Amino acid sequence: MTAHDTKTEYGTRRLVVDRSVCAGHGLCYSRSPEVVDCDDSGYPVILQDALVLDEHIAAAEEAVAVCPERALTLE
């Protein structure tokens, strides 16, 4: 088995929202519904604890980029 045959937790990323900064604009979940949803009040809810797939990481990066309040970070 080669290294590219499996994915491990090493190298995974996390999308984190700072709810004290978020103003609930909705740009993150409208742009990246694969990784962000919203609660009943319109604030973001992160859908996955760990982002492993490249397309989910790219979606999270886009969500971070569109947030006008800079409430999202990718760790």
Side-chain angles (χ1 to χ4, degrees), residues 35-66:
V35 293
V36 185
D37 198 359
C38 67
D39 64 14
D40 292 338
S41 299
Y43 288 92
V45 174
I46 306 304
L47 297 176
Q48 301 175 33
D49 288 332
L51 303 171
V52 179
L53 299 176
D54 290 341
E55 57 263 26
H56 290 164
I57 294 170
E61 289 171 342
E62 195 162 338
V64 169
V66 300

Side-chain angles (χ1 to χ4, degrees), residues 2-74:
T2 61
H4 67 278
D5 290 334
T6 62
K7 291 205 181 257
T8 63
E9 289 301 306
Y10 176 76
T12 58
R13 310 284 302 272
R14 282 187 46 207
L15 183 60
V16 179
V17 61
D18 182 346
R19 293 184 66 84
S20 68
V21 176
C22 178
H25 295 290
L27 297 174
C28 57
Y29 53 82
S30 64
R31 180 67 66 95
S32 302
E34 308 91 334
V35 293
V36 185
D37 198 359
C38 67
D39 64 14
D40 292 338
S41 299
Y43 288 92
V45 174
I46 306 304
L47 297 176
Q48 301 175 33
D49 288 332
L51 303 171
V52 179
L53 299 176
D54 290 341
E55 57 263 26
H56 290 164
I57 294 170
E61 289 171 342
E62 195 162 338
V64 169
V66 300
C67 180
E69 305 301 332
R70 301 293 180 233
L72 293 169
T73 55
L74 190 58

